[in-house]
Amino acid sequence: QVQLVQSGAEVKKPGASVKVSCMASGYIFTDYYIHWVRQAPGQRLEWMGWINPNYDGSNSAEKFQGRVTMTRETSSDTVYMELSGLQSDDTAIYYCARGRTKVRGGGIAYWGQGTLVTVSS
Amino acid sequence: EIVLTQSPGTLSLSPGDRATLSCRASQNVYRNTLAWFQQKPGQAPRLLIYGASSRATDIPDRFSGSGSGTDFTLTISRLEPEDFAVYHCQQYGSSPWTFGQGTKVEIK
């Protein structure tokens, strides 16, 4: 069965960076896009961007451009999301999620368990 | 960006009731690329509906989606105890993908 297992909770100081990992199993890693979505306390879910594990291409929402880096490691079927210049409003649960279809526009089907990132001085 | 507005914010119903949740988009959703997710406390969202009206794998048929253009509806025909949760709509046809603010279905 499809599984996405994320790294553990992080506490960071303002201005720092955080790198969250997402290890995939149960399907061919390079066949499906991985998306990143975050959920801040009391806020709606927010889509951050995608990475194509096949060719390592990625794209992020304009809000996060210049601050987010998405990479992948095919040897371990793992994708990473690094967010820099953290501020208190970056405190959120960060989810990785697999695309529903092999094309980018198919939406999301499977979610990781989430990683809580807390930004606090 | 497409703004999705869900209503009502909270729906107070009893098991066995019918639930009707609305999601309105600020502009047409491309090819009805609209999904619904269920989220329970402490859990990740779960896909229920994609393409506005197609049920995802293993989703019971008491869940149905309808609508097109800018107005979409999720209907739960008869609420089961496990259906009390928060429901999110999402459009994935235009970048950036966006979500509604959620509707909480609570036990009356």
Side-chain angles (χ1 to χ4, degrees), chain A residues 49-64:
Chain A
W50 56 258
I51 180 169
N52 183 322
N54 188 35
Y55 65 88
D56 206 24
S58 65
N59 191 33
S60 61
E62 189 173 336
K63 172 178 181 175
F64 299 102

Side-chain angles (χ1 to χ4, degrees), chain B residues 42-90:
Chain B
Q43 296 184 16
R46 177 175 73 139
L47 177 65
L48 300 175
I49 301 288
Y50 64 91
S53 60
S54 297
R55 264 189 305 278
T57 304
D58 294 332
I59 299 303
D61 61 7
R62 64 179 181 272
F63 291 93
S64 63
S66 63
S68 64
T70 61
D71 288 304
F72 299 89
T73 300
L74 174 70
T75 301
I76 311 171
S77 59
R78 291 173 313 279
L79 283 165
E80 297 287 340
E82 62 268 27
D83 299 336
F84 291 91
V86 176
Y87 293 83
H88 308 272
C89 61
Q90 183 222 7

Side-chain angles (χ1 to χ4, degrees), chain A residues 35 37 39 44-47 61 95 100 104-109 111-112, chain B residues 3-4 37 39 43-45 47 50 88 90 92 95-97 99-101:
Chain A
H35 300 264
V37 177
Q39 188 170 34
R44 66 182 68 196
L45 293 159
E46 185 173 32
W47 178 79
Y95 293 100
R100 185 179 62 82
R104 190 172 73 228
I108 288 171
W111 296 68
Chain B
V3 177
L4 298 179
F37 295 90
Q39 188 176 27
Q43 296 184 16
L47 177 65
Y50 64 91
H88 308 272
Q90 183 222 7
Y92 53 95
S95 187
W97 294 2
F99 291 83
Q101 82 278 22

Side-chain angles (χ1 to χ4, degrees), chain B residues 15-60:
Chain B
D17 285 349
R18 180 184 186 88
T20 304
L21 288 66
S22 172
C23 177
R24 179 162 290 178
S26 61
Q27 53 189 281
N28 277 348
V29 174
Y30 177 72
R31 290 191 176 183
N32 296 328
T33 45
L34 192 287
W36 289 93
F37 295 90
Q38 177 193 68
Q39 188 176 27
K40 297 180 180 178
Q43 296 184 16
R46 177 175 73 139
L47 177 65
L48 300 175
I49 301 288
Y50 64 91
S53 60
S54 297
R55 264 189 305 278
T57 304
D58 294 332
I59 299 303

